[in-house]
């Protein structure tokens, strides 16, 4: 089994005790109470809580009333998004966007850079898809912010990619903050909408490179921006840990839905779909181990959306009253995909622990000695689909059988003789193509 070229399986970290007070301070779920600092109330309806709603991993687990901690580093993080629908409206209390039914889906993570000069730099990377139902398109946007006390990397323009350094002034603030930004041209939007948001870190001649990419088929990644951090470094990675960055933000990983930008908030009128967070765990894609139903690092928020666990730490999305909460995890599933190979006569078995979306593609022609296989279509659970690929939401077990016809090249030598093959008249010596079973 493979997703984006890597095997996938569930793996839980080793837990150690963590003070409940320290946990409340770090991740802000307020010991099961509302985290006042990082949500906004609709002044006309104080029961509406606006937060970056989705899933987030803070390196904190709660079991039987006890709080535990864990941490991990990785070079790659992935946010899986599957939406049957997503429709929102702006809220007048905390919104400045000009469009009506527009939102953002953000994959946010903390990048730690251990520089050659002995300093540790912290960056906050965002890989975002803007969903614009008004205009019928989506587009990819990436941002990089510096979240340490040096302000060296961004302010000194040490980020080199396709984007540029821009300035942002928070609402009601007289100061501005510099950040890196880039976006690609729009793509046509349709539902169901599927996208994998991917961020990866590599090293190039001692310089960290933050890569931003996406996939719409679960197989191929399109890297749309590669940002070199011009700081000679020993290492760089994403980090999830129950601790704060130098500016006081959590070292978390988030996949959330909020307003378009600039601190916008939206009221979710309709939503249906799934969100999942995964990370590269030594060459194996692993769902994050424990999650909360909200992030705190981004300024864009939403309300009237209620994530609920469906498999491991994957959530389904539905409308409903939102309250910030710890979700933890649930029993992972085992969705089996059996793929038949007509040449070997055997099935390749894949097992998926969460709901995912993947495209299976088969060659139209497969050459074999003295002939070839020709693809007629693809059988999925005994239903024939035309074409050379099928795209599946893997929320059940599937049997996939490419329907091939085998043809042979046959040499016939009858000098002066005449003969028929499948009603076709031949004379003399010929090399003809016949379907398997032809007499």
């Amino acid at each position: 089994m493979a997703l984006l070229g890597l095997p996938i399986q569930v793996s839980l970290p080793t837990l150690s005790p963590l003070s409940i007070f320290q946990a409340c301070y770090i991740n802000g779920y307020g010991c099961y109470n509302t985290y006042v600092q990082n949500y906004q109330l609709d002044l006309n309806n104080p029961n509406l809580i606006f937060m970056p709603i989705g899933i987030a991993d803070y390196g904190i687990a709660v079991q039987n009333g006890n709080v535990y901690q864990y941490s991990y580093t990785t070079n790659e993080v992935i946010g899986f998004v599957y939406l049957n629908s997503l429709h929102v409206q702006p809220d007048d209390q905390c919104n400045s966007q000009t469009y009506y039914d527009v939102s953002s889906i953000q994959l946010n993570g903390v990048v730690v850079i251990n520089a050659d000069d002995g300093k540790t730099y912290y960056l906050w990377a965002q890989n975002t898809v803007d969903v614009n139902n008004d205009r019928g398109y989506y587009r990819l946007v990436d941002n990089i912010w510096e979240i340490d006390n040096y302000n060296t990397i961004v302010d000194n323009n040490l980020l080199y990619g396709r984007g540029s350094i821009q300035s942002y002034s928070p609402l009601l603030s007289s100061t501005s903050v510099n950040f890196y930004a880039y976006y690609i041209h729009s793509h046509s939007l349709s539902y169901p909408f599927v996208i994998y948001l991917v961020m990866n870190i590599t090293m190039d001649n001692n310089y960290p490179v933050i890569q931003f990419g996406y996939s719409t088929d679960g197989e191929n990644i399109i890297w749309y921006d590669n940002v070199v951090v011009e700081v000679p470094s020993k290492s760089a990675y994403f980090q999830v840990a129950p601790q704060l960055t130098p500016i006081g933000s959590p070292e978390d990983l988030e996949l959330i839905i909020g307003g378009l930008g600039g601190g916008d908030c939206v009221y979710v009128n309709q939503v249906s779909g799934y969100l999942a967070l995964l990370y590269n765990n030594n060459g194996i894609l692993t769902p994050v181990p424990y999650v909360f139903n909200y992030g705190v690092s981004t300024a864009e928020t939403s309300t009237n959306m209620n994530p609920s666990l469906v498999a491991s730490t994957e959530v389904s999305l539905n409308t409903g009253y939102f309250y910030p909460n710890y979700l933890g995890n649930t029993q992972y599933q085992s969705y089996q995909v059996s793929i038949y190979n007509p040449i070997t006569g055997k099935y390749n078995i894949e097992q998926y622990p969460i709901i995912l979306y993947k495209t299976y593609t088969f060659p139209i022609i497969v050459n074999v000695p003295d002939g070839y296989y020709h693809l007629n279509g693809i059988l999925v659970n005994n239903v024939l689909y035309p074409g050379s690929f099928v795209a599946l939401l893997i929320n059940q077990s599937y049997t996939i059988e490419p329907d091939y016809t085998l043809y042979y090249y046959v040499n016939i030598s009858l000098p002066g003789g005449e003969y028929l093959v499948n009603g076709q008249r031949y004379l003399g010596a010929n090399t003809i193509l016949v379907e398997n079973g032809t007499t």
Side-chain angles (χ1 to χ4, degrees):
M1 58 183 177
L3 177 72
L4 302 175
L6 294 175
I8 176 173
Q9 68 182 45
V10 173
S11 178
L12 296 179
T14 300
L15 303 178
S16 59
L18 180 66
S19 163
I20 184 70
F21 301 105
Q22 183 183 2
C24 293
Y25 176 64
I26 290 172
N27 74 80
Y29 74 96
C31 305
Y32 306 105
N33 294 318
T34 306
Y35 184 37
V36 179
Q37 181 179 349
N38 278 283
Y39 76 78
Q40 297 166 292
L41 291 179
D42 185 321
L43 299 181
N44 297 318
N45 187 350
N47 292 321
L48 290 182
I49 299 174
F50 286 90
M51 292 191 73
I53 302 176
I55 50 177
D57 184 0
Y58 294 93
I60 294 174
V62 181
Q63 297 181 350
N64 300 319
N66 298 313
V67 183
Y68 299 91
Q69 63 180 326
Y70 59 91
S71 62
Y72 57 87
T73 61
T74 180
N75 70 302
E76 186 175 40
V77 293
I78 297 169
F80 168 61
V81 180
Y82 181 92
L83 293 174
N84 289 309
S85 64
L86 175 61
H87 294 283
V88 304
Q89 68 182 56
D91 189 278
D92 294 337
Q93 304 302 321
C94 50
N95 191 78
S96 61
Q97 65 190 45
T98 56
Y99 298 121
Y100 185 80
D101 193 356
V102 181
S103 57
S104 69
I105 306 170
Q106 305 178 12
L107 174 64
N108 303 324
V110 175
V111 178
V112 179
I113 298 176
N114 298 307
D116 288 350
D117 61 8
K119 295 179 181 178
T120 301
Y121 296 93
Y122 291 82
L123 300 176
W124 189 52
Q126 296 183 282
N127 194 1
T128 298
V129 55
D130 293 340
V131 179
N132 191 322
N133 288 297
D134 284 350
R135 300 291 182 88
Y137 71 79
Y138 71 92
R139 71 173 185 178
L140 278 297
V141 180
D142 66 60
N143 292 165
I144 299 177
W145 309 71
E146 189 161 1
I147 53 173
D148 52 41
N149 294 320
Y150 300 117
N151 297 320
T152 298
I153 295 175
V154 175
D155 286 354
N156 291 342
N157 199 16
L158 298 180
L159 298 173
Y160 293 90
R162 294 182 175 181
S164 61
I165 302 300
Q166 301 184 19
S167 182
Y168 168 68
S169 296
L171 188 65
L172 302 179
S173 174
S174 59
T175 62
S176 62
V177 179
N178 292 330
F179 67 101
Y180 172 93
Y182 176 71
Y183 69 89
I184 63 175
H185 295 297
S186 305
H187 300 273
S188 178
L189 174 66
S190 62
Y191 293 96
F193 175 63
V194 182
I195 196 164
Y196 291 86
L197 298 172
V198 186
M199 294 192 294
N200 185 69
I201 298 177
T202 62
M203 298 294 294
D204 184 8
N205 294 324
N206 293 329
Y207 292 127
V209 181
I210 305 174
Q211 299 178 295
F212 297 90
Y214 68 98
S215 174
T216 57
D217 60 9
E219 287 290 298
N220 305 290
I221 301 175
I222 299 172
W223 299 107
Y224 70 91
D225 196 13
N226 298 313
V227 185
V228 179
V229 183
E230 289 282 348
V231 175
S233 303
K234 299 179 178 64
S235 62
Y237 42 80
F238 293 99
Q239 180 160 290
V240 172
Q243 59 194 29
L244 302 177
T245 67
I247 67 167
S249 58
E251 294 185 3
D252 67 338
L253 181 64
E254 305 176 352
L255 181 63
I256 65 89
I257 296 177
L260 182 63
D264 290 339
C265 70
V266 291
Y267 182 94
V268 179
N269 290 318
Q270 182 182 9
V271 66
S272 173
Y274 303 98
L275 297 179
L277 272 173
L278 305 102
Y279 70 100
N280 189 328
N281 185 8
N282 296 315
I284 297 174
L285 286 184
T286 302
V288 296
Y290 304 92
V291 293
F292 291 73
N293 66 353
Y294 64 91
V296 297
S297 297
T298 189
E300 289 71 51
T301 60
S302 57
T303 195
N304 195 44
M305 184 166 55
N306 185 23
S308 58
L309 290 173
V310 290
S312 186
T313 51
E314 184 174 37
V315 297
S316 65
L317 299 175
N318 295 282
T319 55
Y321 176 73
F322 168 76
Y323 190 82
N325 205 359
Y326 170 76
L327 299 180
N329 62 17
T330 189
Q331 180 68 36
Y332 69 88
Q333 301 297 315
S334 181
Y335 303 109
Q336 179 172 299
V337 180
S338 304
I339 308 165
Y340 181 67
N341 186 327
I343 297 177
T344 64
K346 297 180 180 180
Y347 285 89
N348 177 40
I349 307 299
E350 300 180 348
Q351 299 281 350
Y352 292 94
I354 61 176
I355 297 171
L356 294 168
Y357 179 92
K358 189 175 177 182
T359 297
Y360 292 87
T361 303
F362 299 91
I364 296 176
I365 299 294
V366 179
N367 291 307
V368 294
D370 299 323
Y372 65 85
Y373 285 90
H374 182 272
L375 182 67
N376 304 308
I378 303 169
L379 284 166
V380 180
N381 291 351
N382 293 318
V383 177
L384 182 64
Y385 293 86
S388 60
F389 70 92
V390 289
L392 301 174
L393 178 66
I394 304 176
N395 59 352
Q396 65 177 73
S397 294
Y398 290 101
T399 298
I400 303 174
E401 299 171 301
D403 180 26
Y404 281 100
T405 299
L406 176 60
Y407 293 91
Y408 285 107
Y409 292 107
V410 178
N411 295 316
I412 299 177
S413 180
L414 293 174
E418 186 176 302
Y419 49 92
L420 295 174
V421 179
N422 289 340
Q424 177 69 43
R425 187 177 301 275
Y426 293 89
L427 180 66
N430 292 275
T431 298
I432 62 175
L433 184 68
V434 298
E435 184 177 341
N436 187 33
T438 298
T439 59

